Amino acid sequence: MTDKIKIKVSSFVANILENDALRFGFLKNEKSNKNALLNKLIPTLVEVRKARRNEIEYILKSEYNREDSENIYSAVNTVIDRVYFEDEELNVLEEYIWIRPSKETIPTYDEIETSETIITAQEIPVYIRGLLNEYSQLPQYKREILTFNRELGVFADACETRQILHFRDKETSERYKAFAFGYYYGYLYDQTNYCIIYDINNKTIKAIPLYQIQDIYTIKQKYKPSERLIEQLQSYTDNCDFEEEISVGVDENVF
């Protein structure tokens, strides 16, 4: 794998990446850092593409029992980008972006080079451009979910298990110890996804934009909220006034 990958994209895709780098806080010297955005995003996009292929293979084998399923599966993999994500739909290819793989993402780019390009019969720049073409046509809330897929996964697990959550707010650098209640997909007015939490230390309910959550993890200790706290969290979520935070009384059944 080379140190840098050069990809020619449309101005549409370049503008989406510029907007998302700024919107999601990928900055360097107060300017957009598209390389950081892409290194975080592309591993997830590759996994999405692989999961789609696996689903196609499963349906062909389990539901249709076709003897030529392997041939169909192979053909689908080589044409799917051409059918759904043609460059012509996104204007002329007129801008270049560069990706410098990070230490953490080198295995993903190695997989693209040694496996994905063979399966799809594409060169590395064309394959990655296909991923970005697909990404750029999605609404902003969905692009945010894909970019911060790992963070949302940890948060969702905390909601399920009620394990205490720890994370840092990227914008304020404030650290949180929290009970994770739920998340709100922002597909309506502001296209921002919100994670609803009870701040255990400050005894407040608030919504944190997904893109601001960083260094997230859970501990084995679980939080036992009172019925009253659950009612307050639900009311806060139902009202969708996420610009505010509300103070609540001491929750006596803490652990």
Side-chain angles (χ1 to χ4, degrees), residues 62-127:
S62 66
E63 296 186 18
Y64 291 93
N65 297 315
R66 291 189 62 105
E67 295 181 359
D68 57 349
S69 62
E70 291 295 332
N71 292 333
I72 297 174
Y73 173 65
S74 177
V76 167
N77 289 330
T78 58
V79 303
I80 193 166
D81 279 353
R82 301 177 197 173
V83 173
Y84 290 105
F85 311 112
E86 281 284 359
D87 295 325
E88 286 79 1
E89 294 182 6
L90 304 176
N91 302 318
V92 179
L93 302 179
E94 55 190 357
E95 297 196 35
Y96 288 100
I97 58 173
W98 291 85
I99 303 175
R100 178 179 283 108
S102 64
K103 183 186 300 184
E104 294 75 19
T105 59
I106 282 177
T108 294
Y109 295 105
D110 284 342
E111 182 178 13
I112 291 173
E113 182 177 36
T114 60
S115 177
E116 291 296 295
T117 55
I118 295 174
I119 292 172
T120 61
Q122 295 173 321
E123 296 181 350
I124 294 173
V126 176
Y127 175 85

Side-chain angles (χ1 to χ4, degrees), residues 41-176:
L41 174 64
I42 286 177
T44 297
L45 297 183
V46 171
E47 291 304 313
V48 168
R49 185 63 58 85
K50 288 161 59 180
R52 179 187 297 151
R53 285 204 308 268
N54 291 338
E55 182 67 15
I56 292 171
E57 183 178 26
Y58 173 79
I59 291 173
L60 287 172
K61 289 183 176 179
S62 66
E63 296 186 18
Y64 291 93
N65 297 315
R66 291 189 62 105
E67 295 181 359
D68 57 349
S69 62
E70 291 295 332
N71 292 333
I72 297 174
Y73 173 65
S74 177
V76 167
N77 289 330
T78 58
V79 303
I80 193 166
D81 279 353
R82 301 177 197 173
V83 173
Y84 290 105
F85 311 112
E86 281 284 359
D87 295 325
E88 286 79 1
E89 294 182 6
L90 304 176
N91 302 318
V92 179
L93 302 179
E94 55 190 357
E95 297 196 35
Y96 288 100
I97 58 173
W98 291 85
I99 303 175
R100 178 179 283 108
S102 64
K103 183 186 300 184
E104 294 75 19
T105 59
I106 282 177
T108 294
Y109 295 105
D110 284 342
E111 182 178 13
I112 291 173
E113 182 177 36
T114 60
S115 177
E116 291 296 295
T117 55
I118 295 174
I119 292 172
T120 61
Q122 295 173 321
E123 296 181 350
I124 294 173
V126 176
Y127 175 85
I128 294 177
R129 184 168 63 239
L131 298 179
L132 298 179
N133 284 352
E134 178 177 2
Y135 170 83
S136 298
Q137 294 181 72
L138 297 171
Q140 180 179 290
Y141 87 94
K142 183 63 176 178
R143 300 199 306 270
E144 182 183 2
I145 289 171
L146 287 170
T147 304
F148 299 98
N149 179 66
R150 191 194 73 81
E151 287 78 4
L152 182 58
V154 175
F155 189 87
D157 286 344
C159 292
E160 181 75 21
T161 63
R162 295 195 170 184
Q163 290 179 307
I164 293 175
L165 189 72
H166 288 258
F167 66 91
R168 183 171 68 86
D169 188 316
K170 190 189 320 184
E171 289 197 354
T172 66
S173 295
E174 184 177 358
R175 298 206 65 87
Y176 284 92

